[in-house]
């Protein structure tokens, strides 16, 4: 048996994220079966909103970003890179980039994101309200950063548009 120190850090990160997302999916499934999709969507968003502030503060602390405001695009890029480095796994299917000043682009490649795949298996993808992007929006709101999006987030973009791609335009210097 390996010791913890012998497990590569990225392999460990993927394991932790997969376990967390498996728990998240199981929670969603059981809430859906018990309460229906509308209440489950509402509870999911409430949980995300309350988690996002705690998560944001913890990640900012671990990267040493908690002492100064995120008031420029360069600082936001540093924070976004830190958030995604710790909170997004390869299996999730999403990527992000900074195609121009004050723009964060989120994209999901052809296989669809983990949430899309899971909710499609549950048979409720047509009524799912995206929690993945909602989480990112909550981070921005907790930071007090104003933003607009290139298209409304109405359900699952991968399901409704055939692709999940959205630009988040930030109001920063």
């Amino acid at each position: 048996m390996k010791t913890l120190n012998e497990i590569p850090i990225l392999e460990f990160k993927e394991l932790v994220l997969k376990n967390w997302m498996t728990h998240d999916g199981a929670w969603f499934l059981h809430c859906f079966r018990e309460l229906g999709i509308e209440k489950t969507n509402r509870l999911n968003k409430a949980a995300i909103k309350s988690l996002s502030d705690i998560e944001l503060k913890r990640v900012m602390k671990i990267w040493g970003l908690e002492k100064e405001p995120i008031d420029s695009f360069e600082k936001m890029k540093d924070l976004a890179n830190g958030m995604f480095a710790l909170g997004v796994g390869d299996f999730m299917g999403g990527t992000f980039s900074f195609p121009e000043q004050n723009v964060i682009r989120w994209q999901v490649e052809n296989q669809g994101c983990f949430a899309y795949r899971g909710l499609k298996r549950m048979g409720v993808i047509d009524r799912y309200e995206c929690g993945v992007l909602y989480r990112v929006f909550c981070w921005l709101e907790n930071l007090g950063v104003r933003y607009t999006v290139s298209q409304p987030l109405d359900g699952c973009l991968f399901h409704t548009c055939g692709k999940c791609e959205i630009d988040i335009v930030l109001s920063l210097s």
Side-chain angles (χ1 to χ4, degrees), residues 92-94 106-120 125-126 128-130 132-133 151-166:
M92 293 172 143
W106 172 263
Q107 292 178 282
V108 176
E109 300 304 322
N110 293 337
Q111 83 277 9
C113 82
F114 69 101
Y116 168 80
R117 292 188 305 265
L119 277 288
K120 189 174 178 186
I125 192 62
D126 59 325
Y128 172 65
E129 296 175 15
C130 180
V132 177
L133 284 167
Q151 63 182 334
L153 184 60
D154 186 25
C156 170
L157 292 175
F158 202 85
H159 176 71
T160 59
C161 302
K163 65 178 182 174
C164 180
E165 181 176 309
I166 195 166

Side-chain angles (χ1 to χ4, degrees), residues 89-114:
D90 291 341
F91 71 95
M92 293 172 143
T95 62
F96 71 99
S97 60
F98 308 101
E100 59 187 271
Q101 181 72 19
N102 287 340
V103 176
I104 300 173
R105 177 169 294 152
W106 172 263
Q107 292 178 282
V108 176
E109 300 304 322
N110 293 337
Q111 83 277 9
C113 82
F114 69 101

Side-chain angles (χ1 to χ4, degrees), residues 15-141:
L15 172 68
V16 170
L17 288 174
K18 282 180 181 177
N19 285 345
W20 175 29
M21 292 300 105
T22 300
H23 173 270
D24 188 58
W27 176 90
F28 197 97
L29 175 64
H30 290 281
C31 284
F32 162 65
R33 287 180 177 164
E34 185 78 22
L35 304 170
I37 191 62
E38 290 79 16
K39 283 186 180 179
T40 301
N41 277 325
R42 193 169 57 250
L43 287 171
N44 191 44
K45 284 184 165 182
I48 291 166
K49 190 169 187 71
S50 61
L51 162 73
S52 67
D53 189 45
I54 297 165
E55 175 184 41
L56 181 67
K57 287 175 182 169
R58 287 175 178 165
V59 171
M60 288 177 74
K61 183 176 180 181
I62 205 165
W63 291 115
L65 298 170
E66 79 277 16
K67 293 191 171 46
E68 52 186 89
I70 305 300
D71 57 2
S72 72
F73 187 54
E74 289 307 313
K75 290 178 185 177
M76 178 54 72
K77 283 177 22 180
D78 288 343
L79 178 57
N81 281 319
M83 295 298 286
F84 288 110
L86 292 174
V88 177
D90 291 341
F91 71 95
M92 293 172 143
T95 62
F96 71 99
S97 60
F98 308 101
E100 59 187 271
Q101 181 72 19
N102 287 340
V103 176
I104 300 173
R105 177 169 294 152
W106 172 263
Q107 292 178 282
V108 176
E109 300 304 322
N110 293 337
Q111 83 277 9
C113 82
F114 69 101
Y116 168 80
R117 292 188 305 265
L119 277 288
K120 189 174 178 186
R121 279 193 305 271
M122 280 186 222
V124 294
I125 192 62
D126 59 325
R127 294 176 286 154
Y128 172 65
E129 296 175 15
C130 180
V132 177
L133 284 167
Y134 182 73
R135 181 175 166 210
V136 175
F137 300 158
C138 286
W139 293 339
L140 295 171
E141 289 164 15

Side-chain angles (χ1 to χ4, degrees), residues 4-23:
L4 185 59
N5 290 335
E6 293 172 316
I7 299 170
I9 189 74
L10 293 178
E11 189 176 320
F12 180 77
K13 177 189 117 172
E14 286 288 310
L15 172 68
V16 170
L17 288 174
K18 282 180 181 177
N19 285 345
W20 175 29
M21 292 300 105
T22 300
H23 173 270

